[in-house]
Amino acid sequence: MESYKELLEGNLRWLGDVKKANPEFFSKLALGQSPRFLWIGCSDSRVPATEITGSMPGSIFVHRNIANLVVHSDINLLSVIYYAVEYLKVKHIIVCGHSSCGGIQAAMEDRSFGFLDNWLNHIRDVYHYHLDELQKVSDPELRSDAMAMINVRQQVWNLSKVSFIRQKWEEGGFPVLHGWFYQIKDGMLKDLNVSVHSAEESDKLSLIV
Ligand code: CO
């Protein structure tokens, strides 16, 4: 019933540790944020952007949703990206997928998940496009991880089509878009080498997506 209290207690322990290591940390942070990175990740509780990158509060601007999707009509996501690029002037945007992603696995199943289908259908479009390639992977766990990596490439590609990102590229070659993959079983983050920072690169990327 009162399990939520462990979070408040945890906060007190955490802030004590941070203050011990760096007494000025919170007073400096209160002056404002200037994160250099925007992270678009999955809502999965096992993939928190700050912790897995060894970062502290203030370093990463974050948007998370089920299966780290970049949907062009998602006004919430677009507002986060716009604010990050125009006001915070972040130079790097990272789309991060992960192993054993429940959203990816659900989208690959041939059954309905009710209301969630409305979101999962974005992933299903990508899945069906890559069905031949994915059916060659017989292990179900490896197949869903392969799909999660394809999904990251697709979402980087989607990001590369966003109007104001293209406008920024014309002005100065930033932000750079990256696609990463996080392996839950060993805690390792991997760069999928699908980085893009120009419309020309985006067009090339579409050949492999
Ligand atoms: Co996930």
Side-chain angles (χ1 to χ4, degrees):
M1 179 65 180
E2 299 202 325
S3 63
Y4 69 93
K5 286 189 177 166
E6 72 193 53
L7 300 180
L8 298 168
E9 288 157 12
N11 169 253
L12 291 180
R13 276 197 309 277
W14 172 77
L15 71 86
D17 290 346
V18 173
K19 273 203 241 177
K20 207 182 288 171
N22 182 356
E24 311 282 294
F25 183 78
F26 293 107
S27 53
K28 277 191 187 152
L29 211 54
L31 300 175
Q33 65 166 337
S34 51
R36 289 175 294 146
F37 314 104
L38 167 62
W39 176 278
I40 299 171
C42 183
S43 299
D44 193 303
S45 62
R46 298 166 295 178
V47 196
T50 312
E51 283 94 329
I52 66 171
T53 55
S55 306
M56 288 296 280
S59 53
I60 310 178
F61 203 59
V62 173
H63 180 88
R64 292 167 71 178
N65 61 38
I66 292 174
N68 43 271
L69 301 188
V70 176
V71 176
H72 288 134
S73 57
D74 181 349
I75 194 73
N76 181 353
L77 170 70
L78 289 176
S79 303
V80 169
I81 303 171
Y82 188 80
Y83 185 74
V85 169
E86 281 297 327
Y87 292 90
L88 297 172
K89 306 204 181 298
V90 302
K91 297 285 188 270
H92 298 274
I93 303 180
I94 295 135
V95 177
C96 186
H98 68 97
S99 60
S100 311
C101 181
I104 295 287
Q105 289 168 345
M108 292 169 79
E109 283 186 38
D110 197 12
R111 66 183 172 106
S112 171
F113 286 83
F115 176 80
L116 280 174
D117 287 337
N118 299 302
W119 187 252
L120 298 177
N121 285 338
H122 293 294
I123 310 169
R124 289 187 175 127
D125 290 343
V126 184
Y127 175 57
H128 289 296
Y129 192 76
H130 292 273
L131 201 54
D132 289 349
E133 173 188 348
L134 286 162
Q135 275 175 341
K136 289 178 194 147
V137 186
S138 52
D139 180 83
E141 195 71 31
L142 291 178
R143 192 162 58 241
S144 83
D145 289 355
M147 176 57 206
M149 288 186 228
I150 287 171
N151 181 54
V152 168
R153 294 207 314 254
Q154 178 70 49
Q155 304 316 318
V156 170
W157 190 75
N158 288 357
L159 200 50
S160 77
K161 304 297 176 197
V162 172
S163 60
F164 54 84
I165 287 182
R166 294 204 151 213
Q167 206 177 322
K168 280 277 152 199
W169 284 344
E170 279 177 25
E171 290 165 16
F174 283 106
V176 186
L177 316 181
H178 305 270
W180 291 1
F181 185 77
Y182 179 69
Q183 190 69 251
I184 290 179
K185 66 180 176 211
D186 61 14
M188 189 81 84
L189 258 180
K190 188 169 88 173
D191 188 343
L192 295 178
N193 295 316
V194 289
S195 301
V196 189
H197 62 100
S198 69
E200 294 74 33
E201 279 179 333
S202 158
D203 295 340
K204 270 188 233 158
L205 186 68
S206 69
L207 297 175
I208 58 162
V209 167

